Amino acid sequence: MRVLVTGGAGFIGSTVVTALRERGHEPVVFDVRTDPGADVRSPGAVRAALDGVDAVCHQAAMVGLGTGFGDAPEYVSRNDLGTAVLLAATADAGVRRLVLAGSMVVYGEGRYVCAGHGVVRPGPRAEEDLAAGRFEPRCPVCGAALEPGLVGEDAPVDPRNVYATTKLAQEHLAAAWARATGGSAVSLRYHNVYGPGMPRDTPYAGVASFFRSALARGEAPRVFEDGGQRRDFVHVRDVASANVTALEADAAAGALTAYNTGSGTPHTVGEMARALADACGGPEPVVTGEYRLGDVRHITADSTRLRTDLGWTPHITFEHGMREFAQAPLQET
C-alpha cells in the first residue's frame, strides 16, 4: 500500500514511516521540515503528493498548549484548515482510507466517580483553587472528593483549550469527509506519546520532553502542581504500530471510528519525572506547585476497543521505555 504520511519527518510521523516500511508498505513523506512547499494548507502541493496514493496517515499538526490564546489563529490554520484542504484533495483524488492523529485531550477532564453521586463531570478548575494548591477536582454536586477512572470512547467530549478544540474539529471534518465520500476514517486518540526523537523543549513540547531536556542540561525536572496528575505515557513505536494496524484494517465505510491509544497503565507526572531522573542519574525532580490554566488534572482512557477491534497490543513497558528515552537523542527544533 502506498501511504501519504503528512508530518512524516516529525517525531511520531517519522516513526510511522519506519513502521510502514517494516510492514512492506511504501510511505510517502509530506512535511515542511524536508520540503518547505509541503504544507497541508497548499491545495496544489497536496494534490501532487496524492498521486498514486492508496491511503493517508495524517500526522501533521501544531501540538501542545502553546504560549497563550494568541496562538489560536495559527492552531486553527495548521490543524483545521490544513485538514480541510487535505480531505478535499483526497476526495477529488479518489483516496478513501484515512488514519488521523487524534488526541485524548478532546475529553477534557477524565472520568470521575463520586461516592454519593456516581459518575460526574467536574467543570474547569478555578484559578483560586489552583493558586491555593487545591488541585483535585471536586464533585460538582456535593463538593466531595472524587475517584479518577478510565474514559471510554463514548464519553462526552469537552475540549478545554485551543489545541484540544482543533483536534476535535479535525475529527468532525474527517467524519464529514467519510460520509460524503463513503471513505473509512479512523482517529487514534493518542495519550502522552514519548520516545526517541521527541523535539527539545519548546512552548509546544510535551512534559516528557521538558523533563528530558532539563536533565540533559544537568538541571532538575520541574514538576507542576503536586506531581499527582495521572496520565498514560505510551511509547512512540507502539503508537506507530497502532497507525499501521489501523491503515491495514477493514474500517467501516462512510464513518469515523475513534480509538483511544494508550499503554493501558496510568502513571503520575511525578512518577515519570522520577523514572527519567533515575535513568539519567540526574538531579531529583522539584515539585513546584506551579500550574497552567487549561491543564486537566487526570486523563487516562480505556484503550480496550483498539485491542479488541483491531488486535493491536502495546509492547513497550513504562520502565523499559523511560530507560531508553533517558539516553535517546532529542530532535532539534
Side-chain angles (χ1 to χ4, degrees):
M1 186 163 46
R2 183 175 168 88
V3 182
L4 180 68
V5 183
T6 68
F11 167 47
I12 297 175
S14 61
T15 314
V16 171
V17 166
T18 298
L20 283 165
R21 289 197 180 108
E22 289 174 347
R23 295 269 273 266
H25 300 294
E26 180 187 356
V28 178
V29 174
F30 187 83
D31 197 306
V32 292
R33 295 174 184 85
T34 55
D35 178 0
D39 189 323
V40 289
R41 295 169 294 184
S42 171
V46 173
R47 284 195 296 268
L50 285 168
D51 184 40
V53 162
D54 304 300
V56 172
C57 187
H58 185 27
Q59 304 293 319
M62 185 174 179
V63 301
L65 275 180
T67 57
F69 198 82
D71 287 333
E74 191 70 10
Y75 273 107
V76 172
S77 175
R78 291 181 181 274
N79 295 356
D80 299 339
L81 175 60
T83 297
V85 169
L86 173 68
L87 293 176
T90 61
D92 290 343
V95 178
R96 296 295 181 263
R97 187 180 293 266
L98 170 74
V99 172
L100 171 69
S103 176
M104 53 79 188
V105 295
V106 300
Y107 298 117
E109 282 284 357
R111 184 178 187 271
Y112 293 90
V113 177
C114 171
H117 295 96
V119 176
V120 295
R121 292 185 61 80
R125 296 179 294 171
E127 185 167 10
E128 56 266 31
D129 287 336
L130 296 172
R134 296 187 294 267
F135 301 121
E136 292 290 343
R138 312 291 290 188
C139 175
V141 181
C142 67
L146 299 173
E147 182 66 28
L150 301 179
V151 181
E153 287 91 348
D154 297 328
V157 292
D158 184 17
R160 298 284 177 90
N161 54 57
V162 171
Y163 170 63
T165 302
T166 64
K167 296 307 289 183
L168 182 57
Q170 284 184 308
E171 289 194 352
H172 288 319
L173 286 166
W177 168 86
R179 287 191 295 270
T181 65
S184 65
V186 170
S187 177
L188 298 176
R189 291 175 175 171
Y190 299 160
H191 280 260
N192 292 70
V193 186
Y194 74 97
M198 278 195 88
R200 291 188 181 277
D201 50 353
T202 75
Y204 308 95
V207 66
S209 173
F210 277 104
F211 292 166
R212 173 70 177 79
S213 297
L215 288 162
R217 296 190 299 267
E219 300 172 4
R222 294 177 59 82
V223 180
F224 279 19
E225 301 187 16
D226 60 0
Q229 309 94 302
R230 285 162 52 96
R231 299 289 189 270
D232 185 330
F233 299 100
V234 59
H235 197 279
V236 66
R237 289 197 297 274
D238 282 333
V239 168
S241 172
N243 275 273
V244 179
T245 299
L247 284 164
E248 294 174 340
D250 292 326
L256 178 136
T257 305
Y259 291 107
N260 294 329
T261 308
S263 73
T265 307
H267 290 274
T268 67
V269 171
E271 287 172 339
M272 188 265 284
R274 286 191 296 273
L276 277 178
D278 289 346
C280 286
E284 284 293 305
V286 175
V287 178
T288 69
E290 297 173 83
Y291 59 87
R292 295 191 303 180
L293 289 177
D295 274 348
V296 297
R297 178 63 175 174
H298 304 298
I299 176 64
T300 54
D302 186 351
S303 300
T304 302
R305 180 183 291 180
L306 181 57
R307 293 159 171 75
T308 301
D309 286 6
L310 303 188
W312 171 80
T313 303
H315 293 289
I316 301 172
T317 65
F318 177 80
E319 294 75 17
H320 173 81
M322 288 297 164
R323 285 195 300 270
E324 178 198 33
F325 181 49
Q327 306 301 324
L330 296 176
Q331 186 181 107
E332 296 296 333
T333 54

